Amino acid sequence: MSTPDRKQGQPETTSATHKESSPAAAKRTRMQHVPNALTVLRIVMVPVFAVLLLMHGGQDPTLRWWALAVFLLAMFTDKLDGDIARKYDIVSDFGKLADPIADKALMAAAFIGLAIVGALPWWVPVVILVREIGITVMRMFMLKYEVMPASRGGKIKTVLQTVTVALYIAALPLAVVTPAGFMFVYAIIAGFALTLTVVVTVLTGVDYVLQAQKIKKEAGQSKEDAKATTTSGKAPNGR
């Protein structure tokens, strides 16, 4: 008894797809909790970083190096959990809530801590934190319309903030082991980075606000168009 004819290559394609998809699905399952674990680790590192930065009035060069190491490691976990989440398409309610909280908490600890130890003027953390908290709240509010993804400007802002914080944390221990001429140039570079960071932080905040207004306007227009379509569609039945 002959078997039904099949398209050439169909069984092999199905088998290959199954073999490829199964390991991928298994790996995705194994990696599913990694981004959240990294986020929790970053949250735990925030108080550790703050203590290292503030201990002994922030004037201990060795502790400053340790604070810098913890800060950079925390920022690395931020990039790593984002890369993993995108690669394996992992989304969780915990991640949506905890990830921005971890990021803002780390930056808040850094800028406020540097202001406390006298490395930065207080207006800097005030401006940056007002922007960060305000935009985070706004993006959560905008979820009822659509998700506002991080813009390219927002990513540049994060890089600039990271570089600026690292420069100002490292300034004290470097001053102990480097000549005054080097520190003069270093101070100019750090000041330029700080100015650029504040400007980009404010401008990207304004850009997010404009995006939100555009989204709300388009949502309102779509609602009006749908209402008009519904009304015109019911008109013939009313005769």
Side-chain angles (χ1 to χ4, degrees), residues 87-104:
K87 181 176 180 179
Y88 296 99
D89 193 23
I90 300 171
V91 179
S92 68
D93 292 336
F94 176 82
K96 290 178 183 178
L97 178 64
D99 190 67
I101 290 176
D103 297 343
K104 303 320 178 207

Side-chain angles (χ1 to χ4, degrees), residues 26-48:
K27 190 169 184 179
R28 182 180 182 278
T29 301
R30 291 196 302 269
M31 300 297 292
Q32 194 158 4
H33 300 292
V34 173
N36 287 345
L38 290 171
T39 298
V40 172
L41 176 62
R42 191 159 66 257
I43 293 174
V44 172
M45 294 172 77
V46 172
V48 176

Side-chain angles (χ1 to χ4, degrees), residues 25-215:
K27 190 169 184 179
R28 182 180 182 278
T29 301
R30 291 196 302 269
M31 300 297 292
Q32 194 158 4
H33 300 292
V34 173
N36 287 345
L38 290 171
T39 298
V40 172
L41 176 62
R42 191 159 66 257
I43 293 174
V44 172
M45 294 172 77
V46 172
V48 176
F49 162 71
V51 169
L52 290 171
L53 179 61
L54 298 174
M55 192 178 293
H56 298 186
Q59 303 306 309
D60 188 319
T62 302
L63 291 177
R64 280 287 194 103
W65 284 127
W66 279 108
L68 178 61
V70 172
F71 174 77
L72 293 177
L73 180 60
M75 292 306 300
F76 176 73
T77 65
D78 180 31
K79 182 182 185 304
L80 185 60
D81 73 38
D83 290 345
I84 293 173
R86 283 187 293 271
K87 181 176 180 179
Y88 296 99
D89 193 23
I90 300 171
V91 179
S92 68
D93 292 336
F94 176 82
K96 290 178 183 178
L97 178 64
D99 190 67
I101 290 176
D103 297 343
K104 303 320 178 207
L106 180 61
M107 282 300 173
F111 281 103
I112 292 175
L114 287 170
I116 290 174
V117 300
L120 290 177
W122 272 102
W123 66 265
V124 172
V126 169
V127 170
I128 290 177
L129 293 180
V130 166
R131 183 272 188 203
E132 296 290 358
I133 295 172
I135 296 303
T136 299
V137 172
M138 185 193 73
R139 289 175 71 181
M140 293 177 68
F141 174 78
M142 291 300 295
L143 287 175
K144 67 180 182 179
Y145 298 102
E146 67 176 69
V147 175
M148 293 183 67
S151 65
R152 180 174 296 181
K155 294 175 182 178
I156 293 173
K157 179 264 305 180
T158 301
V159 171
L160 286 172
Q161 288 183 352
T162 303
V163 170
T164 299
V165 168
L167 286 172
Y168 276 88
I169 292 175
L172 176 72
L174 281 176
V176 177
V177 295
T178 55
F182 173 83
M183 290 309 300
F184 177 77
V185 176
Y186 186 93
I188 293 175
I189 295 173
F192 176 76
L194 177 62
T195 302
L196 190 60
T197 296
V198 173
V199 170
V200 171
T201 298
V202 172
L203 289 180
T204 53
V206 172
D207 183 57
Y208 273 120
V209 172
L210 294 177
Q211 285 185 48
Q213 291 178 342
K214 182 180 179 181
I215 291 170

